Amino acid sequence: MVVLVVFLLALLPHKLWTSHAVKCRVCGPRYPQHMYHQSGDLIIGGIATHGSFFDSSIAFTEEPPPALLEDFFAVPKNYQHILALEFAVNQINEDPLILPNITLGFNIYDSYFKAKQTYYSTMLLLSTLERFVPNYKCDIQNKLTAVIGGLDSKISVAMANILDIYKIPQLVYGSAPVMNDKAPGLSFFQMTPKETLQYSGILSLLLHFGWIWIGVIVMDTDNGERFLQIAVSLFSQNGICFAFIEVLPFSISFTEFDDKLEHGSKIHAKAMNSKANVIVFYGESNAMMYLRWFPYLSKEEHETNISRGKVWILTAQMELTSLAFQKNWDTDIIFGALSFTIHTTDLPAFKPFVESISPSRTKGNSFIRDFWQQAFGCVFPNSVLERGDGYICTGDEKLQNLPGTFFEVSMTGHSYNIYNAVYAVAHALHAMALSREKHSAIGDGRVLKLQNLQMWQLHQFLRSVSFNNSAGNRISFDHNLELLAEFDVINWIVSSNQTFHRVKIGTVDPDRPSDRVLTINEDAITWHKWFNQAQPLSVCTESCHPGFRKKGRESEASCCYDCIPCPEGEISNQEDMNDCIKCADEKYPNKNQDLCIPKSVTYLSYGELLGLGLTCFALAFSFTTALVLGIFIKHHDTPIVKANNQNLTYTLLISLLLCFLCALLFIGKPQKIMCLLRQTAFSIIFSVAVSCVLAKTTTVVLAFLATKPGSRMRKWVGKRLANSIVLFCSIIQTGICAVWLATSPPFPEVDMHSVSKEVVLECNEGSVAMFYSVLSYMGFLAIASFTVAFFARKLPDSFNEAKFITFSMLVFCSVWLSFVPAYMSSKGKYMVAVEIFAILASSAGLLGCIFFPKCYIILLRPELNNKEHLMKRKGRMI
């Protein structure tokens, strides 16, 4: 509304609103220098962004001079937008199925990249043709129905501020404007897909290639600020880190051009020196002109002539555009770039239409002469431009001969949006006409009816428009008035001779789930030559290989880290794992700690060397014990056998034989019966053996004491005492074992943790306390036997068995005292082997120390096996 007031004030008499002290004369705005008009029953307005004028300083002390065409610079590729609108209108007028008996026309003005000029051009569309009279039209011809524009967000917002007042539909073919507090409630139809879809596509692309260390450059616009607020936050949440984020000043003004270039030089240096090989560049339509400056800004790169490759990810707003002086500039910087573009389909008729354009065959178009002169670097003979060294334009120059980076004859994305916008308006008008006809008794006069309609009524028909364009693509809007369409992902290939190719490598489909919006063909991508056609990496730190995990660095981004080996017992089977993982119980890590290997099942078996060796020893000792028993039985009537209490000796030998044999219960695959028997059988049998030793020692002591005159010990000497000792001591151990089996008996168990690489089949002792109780009881018996034998060691030589028992108990106690720490420190089957060794060693100690001296006398010194010898003392007579 403020703009409207300004324009109305311009029409008032000079004396009514200006002070006498003001020297300058204020007049109405000048008529635009660029416009294109084609008459018709209904008019579609267009705000193009074809070029701009060099800015001149304004002192506000005098009226600025009119802009000179010498100061005008065009963006040649943007002229195609004007051609696209003309092409679409012509096609509709030739189509009898759309708006029959109605002709469309158009009226196009230039925004000159400036909001001020955009306001003025938009007001011109609302005024009588060739007269600037706001809020007034003196004819019903050339009725404005809708306006298509603009290219950049600030142009679109400026248009919307005016058009929203008059409720004229606006179809934006460029970047989506940011609606903030300054422009609330503005509604327009967006001919590009929703912006958030592009953000998701960029994120999916980064994650697809593993590019987690990137640079970001945005233009200093509202859209750039929105990108930083939404997209950068979205990227961070998904593990993307930023080597740098730079804001590039956005201005078409050349008054501060040197400062802008200096700032751009610093940004370019930072980008080229960064470890990030991927840079996301978010900008408006003319951002490419800034990007193409970059190779010429770095002094170091210019001197060394080295071009470091980067993968530029460009947004859909950016076209490969050039100014006239950039026509032959090198474009190596964007070679291999990946660009999100508006989905387009080739229109075969458009290319011949563009190639047929000539200034001599175009009327009412004041754009084409300036475009033609700057595109071909020539001047028309009657041109106001004074270029003595310029070529003369013939009008027969071929647009298809222009470099693809400068102008294209194939339809670009923005032109495709304009084409669809024109058709959307036509279909909405057609639907409006049909709706009016249904409510009218007379079917003719359709033109008059449409001309008499208020254009705010067109909004509801545009909202519901849905049709297939001539390329077969569906055109419709969602509830936010955004086009329901997809983005294409394009790989840009630019050769040294300015040949330009777009290679479609993927799509971003809004109908797919958010985590799978992107489909891409990696094989179709051509990377920058710097990468030697290998997929570029863009990471702060080389990936941690399997077997290692990431460790973050203080005060640095999460993408920058160190790689440390996994702890023992854990693995990492993927790259860049944050934490190592433990293998399942039945598996263990391999040497590189990147794979879990199934553990081997193991137990002390007869088939392995250790088990076989212990079995042989057990059988050998058993055979030896049986042999000793046989010797004693055979020589049972000899004095040395009789003197040693035959029954007690036989009981001891049989228990030792069973001790050797019970060691076999510990070998083989653990079964329930084996687990129940082996510890209890061993403890009871061993208790019998040690009880026999205790009984023998006690008998020896009592026998010596009984030989003293008047001793009362004679009544205790005899078989009853020895048998009682053996029976009593064995019953106590049997009772302990019974309680053990009744409360917490041993059972088979699979041990997956004791040995890292093996699953051990073993017998769980059930109650550890009961296990150590039976061992403690055997130790008590052994200590008692050792103590008694120790005090009887100096008895006369005829009773020297006490010395042998003392030594045997010393061996026994030493073995079992060593057993406890050895057993506790062993794992798996070696625990069983340690116990078997203790059983065999202690049993062999008893056998050897007690019985081998007697066998020596019986077998090798029979002359000593007589009663006289037994009655003697060593070295003297008894």
Side-chain angles (χ1 to χ4, degrees):
M1 186 61 72
V2 173
V3 175
L4 203 55
V5 171
V6 171
F7 283 126
L8 291 173
L9 288 174
L11 300 177
L12 295 177
H14 177 70
K15 293 182 179 180
L16 294 180
W17 67 279
T18 184
S19 171
H20 293 286
V22 178
K23 300 292 184 182
C24 62
R25 180 176 57 86
V26 179
C27 62
R30 298 184 182 91
Y31 202 70
Q33 294 177 315
H34 296 91
M35 65 167 291
Y36 189 10
H37 173 71
Q38 179 176 302
S39 61
D41 298 319
L42 300 174
I43 295 296
I44 295 178
I47 299 297
T49 306
H50 176 234
S52 187
F53 290 92
F54 288 99
D55 285 341
S56 57
S57 59
I58 302 176
F60 295 99
T61 58
E62 60 182 2
E63 181 182 352
L68 302 177
L69 289 177
E70 290 91 335
D71 296 329
F72 179 78
F73 63 91
V75 182
K77 187 169 286 191
N78 289 358
Y79 183 70
Q80 193 193 94
H81 304 163
I82 298 171
L83 298 179
L85 195 152
E86 179 186 2
F87 173 72
V89 168
N90 292 343
Q91 275 198 336
I92 293 170
N93 288 336
E94 295 172 0
D95 189 347
L97 300 179
I98 303 178
L99 298 176
N101 302 321
I102 297 176
T103 59
L104 290 180
F106 56 81
N107 202 5
I108 306 173
Y109 295 99
D110 200 342
S111 68
Y112 299 111
F113 286 98
K114 295 180 177 64
K116 171 187 173 182
Q117 292 293 338
T118 303
Y119 283 120
Y120 177 42
S121 298
T122 306
M123 291 300 296
L124 282 173
L125 291 174
L126 299 170
S127 302
T128 301
L129 188 62
E130 298 183 356
R131 294 190 64 185
F132 181 70
V133 185
N135 289 336
Y136 179 74
K137 287 197 80 165
C138 59
D139 58 4
I140 62 171
Q141 299 295 322
N142 300 314
K143 183 176 181 62
L144 182 67
T145 57
V147 179
I148 299 174
L151 179 59
D152 294 333
S153 60
K154 70 172 186 178
I155 304 301
S156 300
V157 170
M159 293 173 57
N161 286 329
I162 300 298
L163 296 175
D164 187 63
I165 298 173
Y166 298 92
K167 307 304 179 185
I168 301 295
Q170 178 186 358
L171 293 89
V172 178
Y173 67 90
S175 54
V178 177
M179 291 293 98
N180 50 35
D181 295 338
K182 297 178 182 178
L186 301 182
S187 62
F188 39 76
F189 296 87
Q190 184 65 45
M191 298 309 299
T192 56
K194 56 185 178 181
E195 187 75 1
T196 54
L197 177 63
Q198 187 171 206
Y199 299 161
S200 299
I202 296 174
L203 174 61
S204 298
L205 184 68
L206 296 173
L207 296 177
H208 177 82
F209 288 109
W211 295 331
I212 59 173
W213 185 244
I214 66 170
V216 174
I217 300 176
V218 301
M219 301 296 288
D220 188 12
T221 61
D222 290 341
N223 277 11
E225 183 179 350
R226 176 177 60 182
F227 181 82
L228 291 179
Q229 291 176 348
I230 300 176
V232 171
S233 175
L234 176 65
F235 295 172
S236 298
Q237 293 171 10
N238 287 272
I240 306 297
C241 302
F242 305 97
F244 60 88
I245 298 177
E246 292 292 334
V247 178
L248 193 64
F250 176 79
S251 176
I252 214 67
S253 171
F254 280 79
T255 57
E256 301 176 352
F257 195 64
D258 290 340
D259 294 337
K260 300 295 188 295
L261 291 183
E262 182 179 355
H263 185 74
S265 176
K266 295 178 181 178
I267 295 177
H268 175 253
K270 180 178 288 189
M272 292 299 107
N273 295 327
S274 172
K275 290 174 60 178
N277 286 325
V278 175
I279 302 174
V280 177
F281 192 172
Y282 187 95
E284 299 284 358
S285 63
N286 60 342
M288 186 58 64
M289 294 184 287
Y290 286 87
L291 182 60
R292 295 189 66 191
W293 270 102
F294 276 6
Y296 300 91
L297 298 179
S298 175
K299 296 180 181 180
E300 179 182 350
E301 188 168 307
H302 179 71
E303 292 173 358
T304 58
N305 198 27
I306 297 175
S307 177
R308 179 180 177 86
K310 298 289 182 181
V311 178
W312 293 90
I313 298 179
L314 309 176
T315 51
Q317 295 84 348
M318 300 172 63
E319 289 283 358
L320 183 50
T321 54
S322 305
L323 296 176
F325 62 87
Q326 295 177 312
K327 181 176 181 180
N328 296 314
W329 279 19
D330 179 53
T331 51
D332 182 70
I333 188 173
I334 59 171
F335 185 95
L338 303 180
S339 174
F340 287 79
T341 63
I342 302 159
H343 175 71
T344 60
T345 304
D346 184 46
L347 300 174
F350 183 71
K351 185 175 181 181
F353 170 77
V354 173
E355 292 175 349
S356 66
I357 296 298
S358 172
S360 60
R361 294 191 295 270
T362 304
K363 296 181 179 180
N365 183 355
S366 57
F367 289 95
I368 193 168
R369 289 175 61 86
D370 290 324
F371 157 73
W372 205 270
Q373 290 180 135
Q374 296 199 26
F376 292 102
C378 62
V379 295
F380 288 99
N382 59 344
S383 174
V384 297
L385 296 176
E386 295 180 0
R387 298 181 184 176
D389 57 346
Y391 296 99
I392 300 300
C393 297
T394 64
D396 295 327
E397 291 83 4
K398 302 298 183 184
L399 291 175
Q400 59 268 31
N401 293 334
L402 293 173
T405 58
F406 197 59
F407 184 83
E408 294 180 74
V409 293
S410 298
M411 185 172 281
T412 64
H414 288 125
S415 297
Y416 190 72
N417 285 348
I418 294 173
Y419 176 84
N420 289 328
V422 174
Y423 265 89
V425 173
H427 279 276
L429 289 171
H430 189 81
M432 180 185 288
L434 292 178
S435 176
R436 295 282 295 180
E437 188 174 352
K438 290 179 181 179
H439 297 85
S440 175
I442 305 175
D444 56 357
R446 188 181 305 164
V447 176
L448 183 60
K449 292 173 185 175
L450 284 179
Q451 288 176 335
N452 290 333
L453 286 177
Q454 298 298 320
M455 283 302 104
W456 59 266
Q457 297 174 327
L458 187 60
H459 280 273
Q460 59 177 325
F461 293 97
L462 274 171
R463 289 175 183 272
S464 58
V465 73
S466 180
F467 63 95
N468 289 337
N469 64 11
S470 59
N473 291 329
R474 195 70 181 169
I475 305 300
S476 60
F477 300 98
D478 62 12
H479 64 283
N480 292 323
L481 306 184
E482 295 174 323
L483 186 70
L484 292 171
E486 61 188 22
F487 285 106
D488 291 336
V489 184
I490 302 298
N491 184 208
W492 287 6
I493 311 299
V494 185
S495 61
S496 58
N497 62 356
Q498 301 297 298
T499 304
F500 172 59
H501 298 287
R502 290 185 180 91
V503 179
K504 182 178 177 180
I505 60 169
T507 58
V508 180
D509 190 347
D511 295 329
R512 297 172 65 90
S514 58
D515 58 337
R516 291 187 288 116
V517 296
L518 177 71
T519 56
I520 194 165
N521 178 16
E522 297 182 31
D523 297 333
I525 301 176
T526 301
W527 303 109
H528 192 280
K529 57 187 178 182
W530 174 272
F531 302 110
N532 294 323
Q533 281 310 298
Q535 178 185 317
L537 295 176
S538 191
V539 294
C540 179
T541 305
E542 290 292 336
S543 296
C544 292
H545 298 296
F548 294 80
R549 70 173 182 86
K550 297 192 298 185
K551 180 183 180 182
R553 300 174 185 170
E554 292 186 6
S555 303
E556 293 192 35
S558 60
C559 298
C560 302
Y561 48 82
D562 296 316
C563 298
I564 61 174
C566 287
E568 184 178 356
E570 298 183 3
I571 69 161
S572 61
N573 53 7
Q574 298 177 4
E575 291 187 343
D576 291 333
M577 291 187 64
N578 293 317
D579 297 294
C580 298
I581 58 176
K582 290 185 177 182
C583 293
D585 291 340
E586 66 276 6
K587 296 182 179 181
Y588 70 97
N590 63 349
K591 182 178 180 181
N592 296 328
Q593 290 185 278
D594 58 1
L595 182 66
C596 288
I597 301 175
K599 294 180 178 179
S600 58
V601 178
T602 183
Y603 54 89
L604 187 61
S605 66
Y606 294 102
E608 60 180 303
L609 185 61
L610 179 60
L612 182 61
L614 292 174
T615 301
C616 293
F617 277 111
L619 293 176
F621 284 130
S622 300
F623 177 76
T624 303
T625 305
L627 185 62
V628 172
L629 179 61
I631 292 173
F632 270 69
I633 292 174
K634 183 178 179 180
H635 299 86
H636 67 279
D637 54 351
T638 61
I640 198 169
V641 176
K642 291 180 179 181
N644 281 277
N645 193 333
Q646 288 178 326
N647 293 336
L648 200 59
T649 299
Y650 294 156
T651 303
L652 177 58
L653 286 171
I654 291 172
S655 62
L656 289 176
L657 175 63
L658 294 177
C659 283
F660 289 125
L661 292 176
C662 79
L664 300 178
L665 294 174
F666 291 83
I667 304 175
K669 186 176 182 179
Q671 303 291 339
K672 184 175 182 180
I673 299 299
M674 284 181 58
C675 292
L676 290 173
L677 288 179
R678 67 183 191 180
Q679 294 291 0
T680 54
F682 150 70
S683 58
I684 293 173
I685 295 170
F686 232 104
S687 297
V688 172
V690 178
S691 299
C692 290
V693 174
L694 178 62
K696 287 175 69 67
T697 308
T698 305
T699 301
V700 169
V701 173
L702 292 177
F704 175 76
L705 294 176
T707 59
K708 294 181 179 181
S711 175
R712 298 180 181 180
M713 295 297 176
R714 292 184 179 182
K715 63 180 179 179
W716 295 103
V717 177
K719 297 179 180 180
R720 290 182 59 186
L721 177 62
N723 294 337
S724 298
I725 292 174
V726 173
L727 185 62
F728 178 75
C729 294
S730 301
I731 288 175
I732 293 177
Q733 185 72 295
T734 303
I736 295 174
C737 291
V739 173
W740 185 6
L741 294 178
T743 57
S744 181
F747 58 90
E749 184 185 46
V750 179
D751 182 7
M752 297 184 178
H753 305 289
S754 297
V755 183
S756 60
K757 300 181 181 180
E758 296 176 349
V759 174
V760 181
L761 302 182
E762 61 180 11
C763 289
N764 188 306
E765 308 305 343
S767 173
V768 177
M770 297 304 296
F771 172 67
Y772 284 105
S773 295
V774 298
L775 290 181
S776 299
Y777 182 73
M778 286 190 298
F780 167 75
L781 293 179
I783 291 173
S785 300
F786 174 77
T787 303
V788 175
F790 179 78
F791 287 114
R793 71 188 187 283
K794 293 184 180 181
L795 293 176
D797 201 40
S798 57
F799 299 101
N800 60 6
E801 188 175 25
K803 295 180 180 179
F804 299 139
I805 292 174
T806 301
F807 189 70
S808 67
M809 287 296 101
L810 184 62
V811 173
F812 184 92
C813 292
S814 300
V815 169
W816 285 102
L817 286 175
S818 303
F819 161 78
V820 175
Y823 184 82
M824 296 294 292
S825 61
S826 301
K827 295 180 180 180
K829 61 184 179 182
Y830 296 103
M831 295 180 67
V832 182
V834 167
E835 187 170 0
I836 294 174
F837 176 80
I839 293 171
L840 296 179
S842 57
S843 300
L846 292 177
L847 179 66
C849 295
I850 296 176
F851 292 100
F852 279 4
K854 296 179 176 59
C855 291
Y856 172 75
I857 294 175
I858 292 173
L859 297 177
L860 300 179
R861 300 292 298 275
E863 68 276 9
L864 300 179
N865 190 10
N866 54 65
K867 188 174 181 179
E868 289 76 12
H869 176 75
L870 292 176
M871 299 300 294
K872 293 180 180 179
R873 293 184 180 181
K874 187 175 182 180
R876 52 185 174 168
M877 297 296 293
I878 296 179

